[in-house]
Amino acid sequence: MADQRAKLTWRDDQIPVSDRFDDPYFSLQNGLEETRHVFLAGNDLPARFAPGFHIAELGFGTGLNMLTAWSEWEKSGQTSPLTFTSFEAFPMAATDMARALAAFPKLSQWADRFLSVWQGGFCDLGTLHLEVIEGDARTRLPHWHGQADAWFLDGFSPAKNPELWGADLMQQVADHTALQGTAATYTAAGFVRRGLESAGFEVTRAPGYGRKRHMTRAVLA
């Protein structure tokens, strides 16, 4: 797996940029606020949180989305576990995660708990059951038996990482979504929206975060 680890350069000494895709892992403006706008609000969270809720994700990256969701889960008063499953082709070393997440002190108590036990794969943090499935989502997702209530579609830019946005993969996302489940992503690329629509989602374009004019929200009819 050594050659499959994330290869990074650092911008401003705190923003990791993928060497493979020449794309930052989170917003250069405010990654935490982008996550809240796109993936939480885009999936009507935390309002939809309920016992047994399951989030799935394409692109684990630094773990920022997971930590943001987990923090909101606990702050909303939930005491049962949030299930969070993420698919990641090029996992980041824990030391690099820690360096990146240091930019978000509001998440430090959750980041510290996570990083203290994280060794890849699965971990049980009481109010969080996390599984990161390593490998190409196009081959791993079809064999996954879960059903997500909400999807965070967070691959690198569709222009640079089109493999994670194809119609076949969007169909697999739909096939692994609970009825009335949702998906959200920062991109409003036409082929991504069409792929989601073809898979059975009702798709809407919504205001994006920061410099991104639009994002995409979807509900499985």
Side-chain angles (χ1 to χ4, degrees), residues 13-219:
D13 202 39
Q14 63 178 184
I15 299 172
V17 179
S18 167
D19 290 347
R20 282 186 178 87
F21 302 106
D22 187 30
D23 209 22
Y25 276 83
F26 46 75
S27 171
L28 301 180
Q29 294 171 288
N30 187 321
L32 176 57
E33 289 308 312
E34 181 181 44
T35 290
R36 286 173 172 159
H37 178 86
V38 174
F39 298 113
L40 294 187
N43 283 291
D44 294 322
L45 303 176
R48 291 174 57 218
F49 281 155
F53 202 83
H54 192 161
I55 295 172
E57 175 183 57
L58 297 183
F60 186 67
T62 64
L64 174 61
N65 296 339
M66 175 276 292
L67 292 170
T68 306
W70 181 30
S71 68
E72 293 298 327
W73 175 263
E74 288 197 338
K75 287 189 284 187
S76 73
Q78 298 291 335
T79 56
S80 62
L82 169 67
T83 301
F84 196 105
T85 305
S86 188
F87 295 82
E88 175 58 61
F90 303 105
M92 187 180 290
T95 52
D96 288 329
M97 286 184 186
R99 180 176 174 181
L101 293 169
F104 309 108
K106 291 180 180 178
L107 292 177
S108 62
Q109 64 171 293
W110 293 275
D112 291 347
R113 288 155 66 192
F114 162 63
L115 291 166
S116 69
V117 300
W118 180 241
Q119 296 181 331
F122 177 83
C123 71
D124 181 346
L125 284 156
T127 54
L128 175 73
H129 289 174
L130 169 67
E131 183 177 18
V132 177
I133 298 172
E134 296 184 11
D136 190 328
R138 294 173 296 178
T139 58
R140 301 306 302 272
L141 180 52
H143 299 287
W144 184 54
H145 298 297
Q147 292 277 302
D149 298 294
W151 276 91
F152 296 177
L153 305 181
D154 197 25
F156 290 110
S157 163
K160 298 178 178 181
N161 185 203
E163 301 84 359
L164 213 56
W165 303 96
D168 289 348
L169 187 54
M170 295 302 99
Q171 184 63 62
Q172 286 296 325
V173 167
D175 292 345
H176 293 85
T177 302
L179 190 62
Q180 298 299 313
T182 60
T185 180
Y186 64 87
T187 183
F191 83 94
V192 174
R193 289 187 287 114
R194 289 190 295 272
L196 288 166
E197 287 172 344
S198 295
F201 285 97
E202 294 180 356
V203 177
T204 57
R205 192 168 65 172
Y209 177 79
R211 296 177 182 175
K212 295 186 176 76
R213 291 181 61 195
H214 300 111
M215 57 168 279
T216 299
R217 300 178 64 172
V219 180

